[in-house]
Amino acid sequence: MSELEQEVYNLISLSFIRLDMGDQHLMRRLGLTLTQSWALVHLSNPEGRSLSELANLLICDKSNVTSVVDKLEEEGLAERKRGKAGDRRYTRVVLTEQGHALRETVIRARDHMVRERLRNIASSDLHQLRTLLQQVAQNLTMQYNRDEETKIIEDAYKQSTDQLATPETQAIM
């Protein structure tokens, strides 16, 4: 790996960690986990969403979404309802009035934080950064969709463990 690639990767990682920590702290102040806040944001439709739809949007499995929705229900922020026309095979999650109010608070707070965190970056630089990050995201998404991500991880693991298995270390094992 080149020094430039390593530096870019480190800067993206550091930026993600700092942004994520800020989001977590903000949501904790609002009494939510980060996942719960994103669930609220994705439940804007008055018809609600199915657990499967919500799982896809939150990039997690349905069992994780079940516990998130359980907690939102416990707090009076959401409720499960039967599917359209009372279809019992389909459960959807809808926000309560209290959930909609908190959703608006989450969006306003997050919007304010984003503006403040990016305020010292010129608009032209933000446009350029957006274009570059779109390329990164598109590349990572293509790798994921083509199931290349698993191969990349396995190759990285194999390469790192192969280097550990030098003749000298094998003699010790």
Side-chain angles (χ1 to χ4, degrees), residues 34-172:
L34 201 47
T35 305
Q36 290 167 345
S37 74
W38 282 116
L40 288 177
V41 168
H42 289 303
L43 289 170
S44 62
N45 186 335
E47 294 294 314
R49 293 190 184 273
S50 71
L51 291 173
S52 297
E53 288 174 313
L54 202 50
N56 288 335
L57 290 166
L58 297 175
I59 312 171
C60 65
D61 61 50
K62 199 172 167 183
S63 64
N64 289 348
V65 169
T66 298
S67 64
V68 169
V69 171
D70 287 346
K71 185 68 174 166
L72 293 176
E73 276 190 312
E74 191 179 299
E75 299 294 324
L77 301 171
E79 59 187 358
R80 287 178 174 89
K81 292 192 174 186
R82 288 185 175 174
K84 293 178 181 158
D87 186 348
R88 294 186 326 195
R89 297 169 296 168
Y90 172 77
T91 301
R92 55 195 169 89
V93 181
V94 297
L95 292 180
T96 62
E97 193 173 308
Q98 182 183 349
H100 279 291
L102 184 55
R103 178 184 179 278
E104 292 304 314
T105 300
V106 164
I107 290 170
R108 280 193 312 274
R110 187 175 281 135
D111 285 352
H112 176 79
M113 193 163 78
V114 168
R115 277 192 310 276
E116 286 300 307
R117 295 187 103 184
L118 299 178
R119 75 172 182 241
N120 295 326
I121 301 174
S123 179
S124 59
D125 290 339
L126 284 174
H127 284 285
Q128 185 178 5
L129 180 59
R130 178 185 62 194
T131 299
L132 295 171
L133 289 173
Q134 284 172 334
Q135 291 173 10
V136 171
Q138 183 179 14
N139 187 46
L140 294 173
T141 300
M142 284 189 330
Q143 289 173 353
Y144 177 80
N145 289 339
R146 293 179 183 158
D147 203 26
E148 294 173 7
E149 185 176 63
T150 302
K151 183 183 180 324
I152 291 168
I153 292 166
E154 288 305 312
D155 288 348
Y157 175 77
K158 185 176 181 333
Q159 182 184 23
S160 68
T161 56
D162 284 351
Q163 289 178 358
L164 289 176
T166 63
E168 297 83 20
T169 58
Q170 285 179 347
I172 296 171

Side-chain angles (χ1 to χ4, degrees), residues 1-11:
M1 171 176 14
S2 76
E3 192 174 312
L4 178 60
E5 289 170 324
Q6 183 65 52
E7 185 177 0
V8 167
Y9 195 90
N10 289 344
L11 287 169

